[in-house]
Amino acid sequence: MVKKGETVPFFSDLFKEMHTVEVARGLLGHYLCHQTPAGLVSGIIVETEAYLSRGDPACHAASGKTRRNETMFGPAGMAYVYFIYGNYYCFNVVTRPIGTGEAVLIRAVEPTSGLNIMKQNRGPKYEQLNLANGPGKLCIAFGIDKKYDGHDLNCKPLYLDENSQRGELEITAATRIGISVGIEKMYRFYISGSQYVSRR
DNA sequence: GTTAAGATCTGCT
DNA sequence: GCAGATCTTAACG
């Protein structure tokens, strides 16, 4: 159990210097957790996308640092949260050494605890399968917004946690969703056969 | 200062 | 399957 302010060594040790594509694959099967005032919300990451700084026009950092994307250029293990389409937030994990500008978009999680809180956030008519199966939905269900941009994901209240039961996963690689450039790159990864991904 | 586009979701056809 | 909602961001003048 993680106490307030306590460091979770999982992410910092395992992923700090790894290639962003490897982080995208490596995060699958582990936990995203948010200790909210109403209680713990957590889920298993089942779908991710990698955004690279070089040769990847779809990446927000493709044309240099701006006010929106500056946390992407910060240290690995930070949350990069941005607002999109006038309605939604997207949650990313920053990767690579400072100044690189790469991140992994968390697209979907399989809800494991705090389902009642997620339903409260999303609306009563949504079932477990439809609570967090998309980047915008995930942020609503978990209560993630702009205030977590730049938050260290090794620390509460929003953090990544190792799944000791994970074992070896079968991972499917695919093209990314919702972009108009860089559409040919196979930078989308999800747990094969998962019912909780945004698209199959 | 103005404008066009966007790493989406929902509801309707 | 498709269009509309909605508003921040960044590029351009």
Side-chain angles (χ1 to χ4, degrees), chain A residues 120-135:
Chain A
Q120 228 165 48
N121 291 339
R122 286 267 296 140
K125 66 178 170 182
Y126 295 101
E127 298 304 318
Q128 184 178 14
L129 271 173
N130 204 31
L131 279 174
N133 59 336

Side-chain angles (χ1 to χ4, degrees), chain A residues 19-29 44-52 56 103-109 166 169-177 185-194 196-200:
Chain A
H19 192 280
T20 299
V21 166
E22 291 307 307
V23 179
R25 301 174 63 95
L27 284 173
L28 294 174
I44 295 174
I45 298 169
V46 296
E47 180 181 354
T48 60
E49 285 180 0
Y51 286 87
L52 274 53
D56 184 8
V104 173
L105 171 69
I106 310 299
R107 285 194 57 89
V109 305
R166 180 182 186 258
L169 294 174
E170 189 181 322
I171 296 171
T172 301
T175 54
R176 293 172 294 183
I177 292 174
K185 297 183 189 304
M186 305 285 278
Y187 288 162
R188 174 178 173 239
F189 305 98
Y190 59 90
I191 299 178
S192 306
S194 171
Y196 295 88
V197 299
S198 61
R199 291 195 210 173
R200 290 149 58 80

Side-chain angles (χ1 to χ4, degrees), chain A residues 3-179:
Chain A
K3 297 193 176 70
K4 190 171 180 70
E6 186 179 331
T7 297
V8 184
F10 164 63
F11 179 84
S12 52
D13 288 354
L14 210 52
F15 292 139
K16 215 164 201 163
E17 304 294 329
M18 284 170 65
H19 192 280
T20 299
V21 166
E22 291 307 307
V23 179
R25 301 174 63 95
L27 284 173
L28 294 174
H30 292 295
Y31 287 102
L32 174 66
C33 309
H34 188 193
Q35 187 67 61
T36 74
L40 177 67
V41 178
S42 75
I44 295 174
I45 298 169
V46 296
E47 180 181 354
T48 60
E49 285 180 0
Y51 286 87
L52 274 53
S53 62
R54 298 179 63 105
D56 184 8
C59 182
H60 283 173
S63 46
K65 193 191 281 192
T66 64
R67 191 153 89 239
R68 174 175 68 166
N69 70 21
E70 66 178 338
T71 60
M72 283 182 93
F73 291 88
M78 300 280 144
Y80 168 46
V81 182
Y82 64 89
F83 195 62
I84 192 70
Y85 294 125
N87 278 321
Y88 303 102
Y89 293 99
C90 288
F91 170 71
N92 299 250
V93 180
V94 176
T95 60
R96 308 292 284 163
I98 292 175
T100 310
E102 301 194 355
V104 173
L105 171 69
I106 310 299
R107 285 194 57 89
V109 305
E110 172 182 342
T112 52
S113 33
L115 291 245
N116 53 331
I117 301 172
M118 293 195 205
K119 278 186 189 178
Q120 228 165 48
N121 291 339
R122 286 267 296 140
K125 66 178 170 182
Y126 295 101
E127 298 304 318
Q128 184 178 14
L129 271 173
N130 204 31
L131 279 174
N133 59 336
K137 301 179 197 178
L138 179 158
C139 286
I140 297 170
F142 273 69
I144 297 172
D145 61 25
K146 195 89 173 93
K147 70 171 175 289
Y148 286 111
D149 188 36
H151 170 76
D152 183 352
L153 291 171
N154 295 305
C155 302
K156 280 196 169 192
L158 182 65
Y159 57 99
L160 296 163
D161 205 4
E162 181 169 11
N163 177 10
S164 56
Q165 315 287 308
R166 180 182 186 258
E168 283 301 304
L169 294 174
E170 189 181 322
I171 296 171
T172 301
T175 54
R176 293 172 294 183
I177 292 174
I179 54 177

